[in-house]
Amino acid sequence: MSETRTLSPDVLICGTSIRLLALETTKSKWTTILIGSRPGRYLIVEMPKVAGAPVKLDDGTRWAANFISKGAVYSFNTEVLGYTYRLVPLLFPEYPKEVEIANLRTEKRYPVNVPVISTVVSLPTPDAHGKAAAEAKPAAADRKPPAGPLKALAADISEGGFMMACPLPLQPETVIEATFYLPKDEPITGIQAVVRACRGKPGGYFIGLAYSQSNRPEAMSRLGDLISSIENMPLRR
């Protein structure tokens, strides 16, 4: 279910990917990155790019926008108030008066601090309109995926997926295989998961993942045991 309310500034996290759909006859689609905001007045986002060149969105044009933050999708309509090419090309969409919020999380998440080593199994395949590339964060799209194992840290976990903190970005729809290194047990190996979101943080990235349905039952059973015992584990954040 979704609800409509005013936008809280604490969900506007710098580095968040924002998708834009033109409310005009062209129906253009773009993805940009949130740089900052002035609550009640405007957002500050990167100007979309094509082949590395900025694309100016005209003042007064109206757009449907959405972004994911803290486990929910925030959707709203906005208008381009202005732009600048000084230092870096930036757009200034109107700050939304209200947003529609749809919660993505159906399972309870538990904070953990578990080392993870992951490897990329497959990369997203763009459709005829290049959707995968367009929806990826530019930071992730511009860098090659890691060629070997990637050391990371699981920061939270649930029955549907987990979030890991790692030094490199991964594009949405990338499939990885992860090994969880537990403090007092054998590692949980062979867990495949699909990247659903990627956002920057100081010193790295937060990667949100959903478990693949093709995982071995015994591996998922061990993950279930881990989640069941999580409240009694002496974990530190």
mmCIF file of all heavy atoms in Angstrom, residues 70-104:
data_model
loop_
_atom_site.group_PDB
_atom_site.id
_atom_site.type_symbol
_atom_site.label_atom_id
_atom_site.label_comp_id
_atom_site.label_asym_id
_atom_site.label_seq_id
_atom_site.Cartn_x
_atom_site.Cartn_y
_atom_site.Cartn_z
ATOM 1 N N LYS A 70 15.568 4.438 2.141
ATOM 2 C CA LYS A 70 15.162 3.820 3.404
ATOM 3 C C LYS A 70 14.023 2.820 3.229
ATOM 4 O O LYS A 70 13.064 2.795 4.000
ATOM 5 C CB LYS A 70 14.791 4.893 4.430
ATOM 6 C CG LYS A 70 15.952 5.826 4.768
ATOM 7 C CD LYS A 70 15.628 6.790 5.885
ATOM 8 C CE LYS A 70 16.856 7.626 6.239
ATOM 9 N NZ LYS A 70 16.597 8.574 7.341
ATOM 10 N N GLY A 71 14.136 2.003 2.160
ATOM 11 C CA GLY A 71 13.188 0.916 1.975
ATOM 12 C C GLY A 71 11.848 1.306 1.399
ATOM 13 O O GLY A 71 10.903 0.514 1.456
ATOM 14 N N ALA A 72 11.739 2.498 0.806
ATOM 15 C CA ALA A 72 10.467 2.928 0.233
ATOM 16 C C ALA A 72 10.706 3.672 -1.075
ATOM 17 O O ALA A 72 11.779 4.248 -1.299
ATOM 18 C CB ALA A 72 9.700 3.820 1.211
ATOM 19 N N VAL A 73 9.694 3.662 -1.956
ATOM 20 C CA VAL A 73 9.728 4.436 -3.192
ATOM 21 C C VAL A 73 8.960 5.737 -2.967
ATOM 22 O O VAL A 73 7.813 5.714 -2.520
ATOM 23 C CB VAL A 73 9.099 3.668 -4.365
ATOM 24 C CG1 VAL A 73 9.106 4.525 -5.628
ATOM 25 C CG2 VAL A 73 9.850 2.367 -4.618
ATOM 26 N N TYR A 74 9.594 6.854 -3.286
ATOM 27 C CA TYR A 74 8.981 8.176 -3.149
ATOM 28 C C TYR A 74 8.701 8.724 -4.548
ATOM 29 O O TYR A 74 9.627 8.867 -5.359
ATOM 30 C CB TYR A 74 9.907 9.119 -2.380
ATOM 31 C CG TYR A 74 10.129 8.709 -0.946
ATOM 32 C CD1 TYR A 74 11.021 7.682 -0.629
ATOM 33 C CD2 TYR A 74 9.434 9.320 0.089
ATOM 34 C CE1 TYR A 74 11.207 7.284 0.687
ATOM 35 C CE2 TYR A 74 9.623 8.937 1.417
ATOM 36 C CZ TYR A 74 10.505 7.920 1.700
ATOM 37 O OH TYR A 74 10.694 7.525 2.997
ATOM 38 N N SER A 75 7.437 9.018 -4.849
ATOM 39 C CA SER A 75 7.034 9.494 -6.171
ATOM 40 C C SER A 75 6.368 10.856 -6.051
ATOM 41 O O SER A 75 5.591 11.096 -5.118
ATOM 42 C CB SER A 75 6.069 8.497 -6.827
ATOM 43 O OG SER A 75 6.635 7.200 -6.911
ATOM 44 N N PHE A 76 6.649 11.726 -7.026
ATOM 45 C CA PHE A 76 6.074 13.069 -6.987
ATOM 46 C C PHE A 76 6.198 13.711 -8.360
ATOM 47 O O PHE A 76 6.939 13.236 -9.225
ATOM 48 C CB PHE A 76 6.808 13.935 -5.946
ATOM 49 C CG PHE A 76 8.289 14.050 -6.164
ATOM 50 C CD1 PHE A 76 8.838 15.107 -6.875
ATOM 51 C CD2 PHE A 76 9.157 13.080 -5.661
ATOM 52 C CE1 PHE A 76 10.202 15.209 -7.090
ATOM 53 C CE2 PHE A 76 10.534 13.171 -5.863
ATOM 54 C CZ PHE A 76 11.058 14.239 -6.574
ATOM 55 N N ASN A 77 5.467 14.788 -8.569
ATOM 56 C CA ASN A 77 5.597 15.607 -9.767
ATOM 57 C C ASN A 77 6.381 16.869 -9.428
ATOM 58 O O ASN A 77 6.276 17.398 -8.310
ATOM 59 C CB ASN A 77 4.225 15.998 -10.321
ATOM 60 C CG ASN A 77 3.486 14.810 -10.920
ATOM 61 O OD1 ASN A 77 4.081 13.768 -11.203
ATOM 62 N ND2 ASN A 77 2.190 14.949 -11.112
ATOM 63 N N THR A 78 7.159 17.343 -10.386
ATOM 64 C CA THR A 78 7.991 18.513 -10.140
ATOM 65 C C THR A 78 8.148 19.327 -11.418
ATOM 66 O O THR A 78 7.787 18.859 -12.504
ATOM 67 C CB THR A 78 9.374 18.099 -9.592
ATOM 68 O OG1 THR A 78 10.109 19.264 -9.212
ATOM 69 C CG2 THR A 78 10.167 17.323 -10.633
ATOM 70 N N GLU A 79 8.684 20.519 -11.271
ATOM 71 C CA GLU A 79 8.910 21.420 -12.403
ATOM 72 C C GLU A 79 10.343 21.931 -12.351
ATOM 73 O O GLU A 79 10.872 22.212 -11.262
ATOM 74 C CB GLU A 79 7.941 22.599 -12.318
ATOM 75 C CG GLU A 79 8.098 23.632 -13.422
ATOM 76 C CD GLU A 79 7.103 24.763 -13.287
ATOM 77 O OE1 GLU A 79 5.946 24.496 -12.881
ATOM 78 O OE2 GLU A 79 7.473 25.922 -13.575
ATOM 79 N N VAL A 80 10.999 22.007 -13.508
ATOM 80 C CA VAL A 80 12.364 22.537 -13.562
ATOM 81 C C VAL A 80 12.322 24.046 -13.330
ATOM 82 O O VAL A 80 11.687 24.783 -14.093
ATOM 83 C CB VAL A 80 13.028 22.211 -14.911
ATOM 84 C CG1 VAL A 80 14.406 22.878 -14.990
ATOM 85 C CG2 VAL A 80 13.170 20.705 -15.083
ATOM 86 N N LEU A 81 12.993 24.496 -12.270
ATOM 87 C CA LEU A 81 13.022 25.922 -11.938
ATOM 88 C C LEU A 81 14.196 26.639 -12.595
ATOM 89 O O LEU A 81 14.129 27.846 -12.841
ATOM 90 C CB LEU A 81 13.092 26.110 -10.428
ATOM 91 C CG LEU A 81 11.941 25.506 -9.612
ATOM 92 C CD1 LEU A 81 12.173 25.747 -8.123
ATOM 93 C CD2 LEU A 81 10.607 26.089 -10.044
ATOM 94 N N GLY A 82 15.270 25.913 -12.854
ATOM 95 C CA GLY A 82 16.444 26.540 -13.450
ATOM 96 C C GLY A 82 17.593 25.568 -13.550
ATOM 97 O O GLY A 82 17.474 24.391 -13.190
ATOM 98 N N TYR A 83 18.727 26.063 -14.028
ATOM 99 C CA TYR A 83 19.907 25.229 -14.200
ATOM 100 C C TYR A 83 21.141 26.120 -14.165
ATOM 101 O O TYR A 83 21.064 27.350 -14.230
ATOM 102 C CB TYR A 83 19.847 24.464 -15.528
ATOM 103 C CG TYR A 83 19.816 25.355 -16.754
ATOM 104 C CD1 TYR A 83 20.998 25.741 -17.383
ATOM 105 C CD2 TYR A 83 18.612 25.833 -17.264
ATOM 106 C CE1 TYR A 83 20.981 26.574 -18.495
ATOM 107 C CE2 TYR A 83 18.587 26.654 -18.370
ATOM 108 C CZ TYR A 83 19.778 27.025 -18.979
ATOM 109 O OH TYR A 83 19.758 27.845 -20.067
ATOM 110 N N THR A 84 22.311 25.482 -14.039
ATOM 111 C CA THR A 84 23.572 26.212 -14.086
ATOM 112 C C THR A 84 24.642 25.326 -14.684
ATOM 113 O O THR A 84 24.592 24.093 -14.538
ATOM 114 C CB THR A 84 24.007 26.682 -12.683
ATOM 115 O OG1 THR A 84 25.238 27.411 -12.796
ATOM 116 C CG2 THR A 84 24.252 25.505 -11.752
ATOM 117 N N TYR A 85 25.604 25.935 -15.377
ATOM 118 C CA TYR A 85 26.769 25.232 -15.888
ATOM 119 C C TYR A 85 28.027 25.638 -15.115
ATOM 120 O O TYR A 85 29.123 25.253 -15.470
ATOM 121 C CB TYR A 85 26.972 25.543 -17.377
ATOM 122 C CG TYR A 85 26.009 24.823 -18.289
ATOM 123 C CD1 TYR A 85 24.822 25.421 -18.694
ATOM 124 C CD2 TYR A 85 26.282 23.541 -18.735
ATOM 125 C CE1 TYR A 85 23.941 24.773 -19.535
ATOM 126 C CE2 TYR A 85 25.398 22.875 -19.582
ATOM 127 C CZ TYR A 85 24.231 23.498 -19.977
ATOM 128 O OH TYR A 85 23.360 22.839 -20.808
ATOM 129 N N ARG A 86 27.868 26.432 -14.079
ATOM 130 C CA ARG A 86 29.010 26.905 -13.303
ATOM 131 C C ARG A 86 29.591 25.746 -12.483
ATOM 132 O O ARG A 86 28.866 25.085 -11.737
ATOM 133 C CB ARG A 86 28.577 28.039 -12.380
ATOM 134 C CG ARG A 86 29.722 28.694 -11.621
ATOM 135 C CD ARG A 86 29.211 29.863 -10.802
ATOM 136 N NE ARG A 86 28.610 30.888 -11.654
ATOM 137 C CZ ARG A 86 28.002 31.965 -11.178
ATOM 138 N NH1 ARG A 86 27.895 32.137 -9.869
ATOM 139 N NH2 ARG A 86 27.476 32.848 -12.018
ATOM 140 N N LEU A 87 30.871 25.487 -12.611
ATOM 141 C CA LEU A 87 31.591 24.374 -11.969
ATOM 142 C C LEU A 87 31.127 23.036 -12.535
ATOM 143 O O LEU A 87 31.886 22.342 -13.202
ATOM 144 C CB LEU A 87 31.443 24.430 -10.450
ATOM 145 C CG LEU A 87 32.007 25.674 -9.758
ATOM 146 C CD1 LEU A 87 31.817 25.590 -8.262
ATOM 147 C CD2 LEU A 87 33.486 25.847 -10.096
ATOM 148 N N VAL A 88 29.882 22.634 -12.252
ATOM 149 C CA VAL A 88 29.337 21.398 -12.815
ATOM 150 C C VAL A 88 27.907 21.676 -13.269
ATOM 151 O O VAL A 88 27.221 22.517 -12.691
ATOM 152 C CB VAL A 88 29.341 20.237 -11.788
ATOM 153 C CG1 VAL A 88 30.753 19.828 -11.436
ATOM 154 C CG2 VAL A 88 28.571 20.614 -10.545
ATOM 155 N N PRO A 89 27.426 20.989 -14.323
ATOM 156 C CA PRO A 89 26.051 21.211 -14.794
ATOM 157 C C PRO A 89 25.037 20.675 -13.779
ATOM 158 O O PRO A 89 25.046 19.489 -13.442
ATOM 159 C CB PRO A 89 25.987 20.429 -16.110
ATOM 160 C CG PRO A 89 27.414 20.188 -16.497
ATOM 161 C CD PRO A 89 28.175 20.085 -15.222
ATOM 162 N N LEU A 90 24.171 21.546 -13.302
ATOM 163 C CA LEU A 90 23.181 21.186 -12.287
ATOM 164 C C LEU A 90 21.794 21.648 -12.703
ATOM 165 O O LEU A 90 21.635 22.660 -13.385
ATOM 166 C CB LEU A 90 23.532 21.816 -10.935
ATOM 167 C CG LEU A 90 24.853 21.410 -10.286
ATOM 168 C CD1 LEU A 90 25.081 22.228 -9.022
ATOM 169 C CD2 LEU A 90 24.864 19.916 -9.963
ATOM 170 N N LEU A 91 20.789 20.897 -12.251
ATOM 171 C CA LEU A 91 19.387 21.266 -12.421
ATOM 172 C C LEU A 91 18.777 21.557 -11.060
ATOM 173 O O LEU A 91 19.205 21.000 -10.040
ATOM 174 C CB LEU A 91 18.602 20.135 -13.073
ATOM 175 C CG LEU A 91 18.742 19.912 -14.576
ATOM 176 C CD1 LEU A 91 17.986 18.651 -14.962
ATOM 177 C CD2 LEU A 91 18.226 21.108 -15.353
ATOM 178 N N PHE A 92 17.731 22.399 -11.065
ATOM 179 C CA PHE A 92 17.044 22.760 -9.825
ATOM 180 C C PHE A 92 15.546 22.481 -9.983
ATOM 181 O O PHE A 92 14.769 23.379 -10.331
ATOM 182 C CB PHE A 92 17.290 24.227 -9.488
ATOM 183 C CG PHE A 92 18.731 24.556 -9.253
ATOM 184 C CD1 PHE A 92 19.544 24.933 -10.309
ATOM 185 C CD2 PHE A 92 19.287 24.468 -7.990
ATOM 186 C CE1 PHE A 92 20.885 25.226 -10.103
ATOM 187 C CE2 PHE A 92 20.624 24.753 -7.775
ATOM 188 C CZ PHE A 92 21.424 25.134 -8.836
ATOM 189 N N PRO A 93 15.102 21.241 -9.741
ATOM 190 C CA PRO A 93 13.669 20.948 -9.769
ATOM 191 C C PRO A 93 12.984 21.523 -8.518
ATOM 192 O O PRO A 93 13.590 21.661 -7.455
ATOM 193 C CB PRO A 93 13.605 19.415 -9.766
ATOM 194 C CG PRO A 93 15.006 18.954 -10.065
ATOM 195 C CD PRO A 93 15.895 20.023 -9.557
ATOM 196 N N GLU A 94 11.712 21.823 -8.671
ATOM 197 C CA GLU A 94 10.926 22.321 -7.543
ATOM 198 C C GLU A 94 10.848 21.267 -6.444
ATOM 199 O O GLU A 94 10.686 20.077 -6.711
ATOM 200 C CB GLU A 94 9.522 22.677 -8.025
ATOM 201 C CG GLU A 94 8.612 23.213 -6.945
ATOM 202 C CD GLU A 94 7.207 23.452 -7.457
ATOM 203 O OE1 GLU A 94 6.833 22.838 -8.487
ATOM 204 O OE2 GLU A 94 6.477 24.247 -6.837
ATOM 205 N N TYR A 95 10.969 21.709 -5.195
ATOM 206 C CA TYR A 95 10.829 20.801 -4.048
ATOM 207 C C TYR A 95 9.382 20.314 -4.004
ATOM 208 O O TYR A 95 8.451 21.115 -4.073
ATOM 209 C CB TYR A 95 11.177 21.532 -2.759
ATOM 210 C CG TYR A 95 11.423 20.636 -1.571
ATOM 211 C CD1 TYR A 95 12.692 20.154 -1.284
ATOM 212 C CD2 TYR A 95 10.380 20.284 -0.709
ATOM 213 C CE1 TYR A 95 12.920 19.344 -0.185
ATOM 214 C CE2 TYR A 95 10.596 19.472 0.393
ATOM 215 C CZ TYR A 95 11.872 19.006 0.649
ATOM 216 O OH TYR A 95 12.092 18.195 1.741
ATOM 217 N N PRO A 96 9.171 18.993 -3.913
ATOM 218 C CA PRO A 96 7.792 18.487 -3.961
ATOM 219 C C PRO A 96 6.970 18.918 -2.753
ATOM 220 O O PRO A 96 7.445 18.882 -1.619
ATOM 221 C CB PRO A 96 7.978 16.966 -3.993
ATOM 222 C CG PRO A 96 9.333 16.726 -3.415
ATOM 223 C CD PRO A 96 10.166 17.914 -3.798
ATOM 224 N N LYS A 97 5.729 19.327 -3.039
ATOM 225 C CA LYS A 97 4.831 19.722 -1.954
ATOM 226 C C LYS A 97 4.330 18.502 -1.200
ATOM 227 O O LYS A 97 4.084 18.549 0.000
ATOM 228 C CB LYS A 97 3.659 20.528 -2.513
ATOM 229 C CG LYS A 97 4.077 21.858 -3.142
ATOM 230 C CD LYS A 97 2.873 22.600 -3.692
ATOM 231 C CE LYS A 97 3.274 23.985 -4.213
ATOM 232 N NZ LYS A 97 4.229 23.913 -5.327
ATOM 233 N N GLU A 98 4.138 17.389 -1.911
ATOM 234 C CA GLU A 98 3.771 16.128 -1.270
ATOM 235 C C GLU A 98 4.272 14.978 -2.130
ATOM 236 O O GLU A 98 4.518 15.144 -3.325
ATOM 237 C CB GLU A 98 2.267 16.017 -1.050
ATOM 238 C CG GLU A 98 1.433 16.086 -2.297
ATOM 239 C CD GLU A 98 -0.056 15.976 -1.997
ATOM 240 O OE1 GLU A 98 -0.458 16.300 -0.871
ATOM 241 O OE2 GLU A 98 -0.799 15.559 -2.891
ATOM 242 N N VAL A 99 4.466 13.837 -1.510
ATOM 243 C CA VAL A 99 4.978 12.655 -2.209
ATOM 244 C C VAL A 99 4.100 11.457 -1.895
ATOM 245 O O VAL A 99 3.475 11.381 -0.832
ATOM 246 C CB VAL A 99 6.436 12.343 -1.814
ATOM 247 C CG1 VAL A 99 7.382 13.419 -2.297
ATOM 248 C CG2 VAL A 99 6.569 12.150 -0.306
ATOM 249 N N GLU A 100 4.075 10.516 -2.833
ATOM 250 C CA GLU A 100 3.418 9.233 -2.593
ATOM 251 C C GLU A 100 4.488 8.239 -2.180
ATOM 252 O O GLU A 100 5.516 8.112 -2.850
ATOM 253 C CB GLU A 100 2.706 8.751 -3.851
ATOM 254 C CG GLU A 100 1.947 7.448 -3.658
ATOM 255 C CD GLU A 100 1.184 7.028 -4.893
ATOM 256 O OE1 GLU A 100 0.254 7.767 -5.279
ATOM 257 O OE2 GLU A 100 1.529 5.974 -5.477
ATOM 258 N N ILE A 101 4.267 7.550 -1.080
ATOM 259 C CA ILE A 101 5.278 6.665 -0.507
ATOM 260 C C ILE A 101 4.774 5.229 -0.533
ATOM 261 O O ILE A 101 3.690 4.936 -0.020
ATOM 262 C CB ILE A 101 5.615 7.082 0.941
ATOM 263 C CG1 ILE A 101 6.031 8.558 0.988
ATOM 264 C CG2 ILE A 101 6.712 6.200 1.521
ATOM 265 C CD1 ILE A 101 6.143 9.107 2.385
ATOM 266 N N ALA A 102 5.553 4.344 -1.143
ATOM 267 C CA ALA A 102 5.221 2.916 -1.195
ATOM 268 C C ALA A 102 6.339 2.136 -0.529
ATOM 269 O O ALA A 102 7.497 2.201 -0.964
ATOM 270 C CB ALA A 102 5.031 2.459 -2.645
ATOM 271 N N ASN A 103 6.028 1.425 0.520
ATOM 272 C CA ASN A 103 7.028 0.668 1.264
ATOM 273 C C ASN A 103 7.433 -0.570 0.487
ATOM 274 O O ASN A 103 6.599 -1.342 0.029
ATOM 275 C CB ASN A 103 6.471 0.269 2.637
ATOM 276 C CG ASN A 103 7.556 -0.218 3.584
ATOM 277 O OD1 ASN A 103 8.718 -0.340 3.204
ATOM 278 N ND2 ASN A 103 7.182 -0.496 4.811
ATOM 279 N N LEU A 104 8.753 -0.780 0.315
ATOM 280 C CA LEU A 104 9.266 -1.933 -0.417
ATOM 281 C C LEU A 104 9.547 -3.116 0.495
ATOM 282 O O LEU A 104 9.630 -4.255 0.041
ATOM 283 C CB LEU A 104 10.563 -1.562 -1.149
ATOM 284 C CG LEU A 104 10.444 -0.569 -2.300
ATOM 285 C CD1 LEU A 104 11.839 -0.232 -2.823
ATOM 286 C CD2 LEU A 104 9.590 -1.124 -3.409
#
